[in-house]
Amino acid sequence: GAVVSQHPSRVICKSGTSVKIECRSLDFQATTMFWYRQFPKKSLMLMATSNEGSKATYEQGVEKDKFLINHASLTLSTLTVTSAHPEDSSFYICSAAGSDYGYTFGSGTRLTVV
Amino acid sequence: GQQLNQSPQSMFIQEGEDVSMNCTSSSIFNTWLWYKQDPGEGPVLLIALYKAGELTSNGRLTAQFGITRKDSFLNISASIPSDVGIYFCAGQLLNSNSGYALNFGKGTSLLVTP
């Protein structure tokens, strides 16, 4: 079956630094990857949609300069949180979709900014 | 994105009981999905529904795609302690501005006592 690997699973960083989160589809080609953010006891909130080789489409209210998304290949997308602040602390989850596979989620990244 | 109304918000039941949860929307969806999320993990797909009226089972789980395409339910029969978790419905809108990104319900938190 489809497997999506996301790492790191947990990261703690200092305010003002940048953090990169990777999302890889291990056994299928992901033409589209999605990045979600989840607050405690809340639902998943779509941040952006990225298609391989093109710029990501950001949801309203999501700062594209703060949350940089790169989808350089059919198996890898990265989310970089730039100049992180404590309010960026959250659970970030990626999802990958390919022609033969539906939406498969990564295991998430718990980001804590101190 | 479109908000899905998921209910109940939480359930506290005894092992062996059946569980039912549902999602409704004011918009028409062409796909309904049900996920389970354990703490600190990404959502895992339980059942996918692609046709209006479709009734699909996966072990003790049964889900149906409403005939109006605006609702879906998930039933869990004979619950066991490992059913504990948060269950999310998700729908893919027709003509979504976010391509075919999923819209999520707010989740149903299920607790099962032995």
Side-chain angles (χ1 to χ4, degrees):
Chain A
V3 178
V4 173
S5 173
Q6 183 176 343
H7 73 90
S9 58
R10 294 175 181 270
V11 59
I12 301 173
C13 71
K14 291 183 178 180
S15 290
T17 62
S18 295
V19 173
K20 180 183 286 188
I21 302 170
E22 292 190 349
C23 182
R24 293 179 184 273
S25 56
L26 299 185
D27 50 3
F28 69 101
Q29 294 186 325
T31 51
T32 306
M33 288 191 175
F34 307 90
W35 287 95
Y36 293 85
R37 183 174 181 177
Q38 187 177 31
F39 293 100
K41 298 185 179 180
K42 297 292 184 182
S43 187
L44 284 76
M45 181 181 71
L46 179 67
M47 298 175 66
T49 302
S50 74
N51 292 296
E52 184 265 339
S54 60
K55 290 184 178 180
T57 301
Y58 289 80
E59 294 299 299
Q60 191 174 6
V62 179
E63 299 176 59
K64 61 181 180 181
D65 293 331
K66 180 164 187 63
F67 298 100
L68 301 179
I69 291 173
N70 185 286
H71 193 162
S73 75
L74 285 172
T75 59
L76 174 65
S77 176
T78 61
L79 167 67
T80 301
V81 183
T82 62
S83 187
H85 289 283
E87 56 265 31
D88 298 326
S89 298
S90 191
F91 193 56
Y92 294 87
I93 310 174
C94 70
S95 172
S99 58
D100 296 326
Y101 294 95
Y103 308 89
T104 303
F105 285 84
S107 55
T109 298
R110 172 72 60 193
L111 171 63
T112 303
V113 184
V114 297
Chain B
Q2 293 292 322
Q3 185 65 58
L4 301 184
N5 301 308
Q6 184 172 351
S7 64
Q9 184 176 357
S10 62
M11 300 184 74
F12 188 74
I13 63 172
Q14 282 194 320
E15 183 177 4
E17 291 185 13
D18 296 341
V19 173
S20 184
M21 59 192 79
N22 70 85
C23 273
T24 60
S25 173
S26 58
S27 300
I28 293 175
F29 286 87
N30 65 343
T31 302
W32 281 94
L33 305 168
W34 285 93
Y35 288 88
K36 182 189 178 193
Q37 185 179 27
D38 292 325
E41 298 289 332
V44 174
L45 182 65
L46 299 174
I47 292 180
L49 303 160
Y50 301 104
K51 296 180 181 178
E54 180 181 353
L55 182 69
T56 298
S57 293
N58 178 8
R60 293 179 294 106
L61 278 61
T62 302
Q64 184 162 30
F65 193 150
I67 198 70
T68 64
R69 308 182 77 94
K70 294 182 178 181
D71 63 293
S72 177
F73 72 74
L74 173 70
N75 288 340
I76 304 173
S77 63
S79 59
I80 58 178
S82 62
D83 290 335
V84 167
I86 301 178
Y87 292 79
F88 289 100
C89 63
Q92 178 193 335
L93 272 175
L94 290 172
N95 303 316
S96 169
N97 290 330
S98 300
Y100 51 100
L102 295 178
N103 297 272
F104 281 84
K106 293 187 176 181
T108 296
S109 177
L110 178 63
L111 293 175
V112 181
T113 58

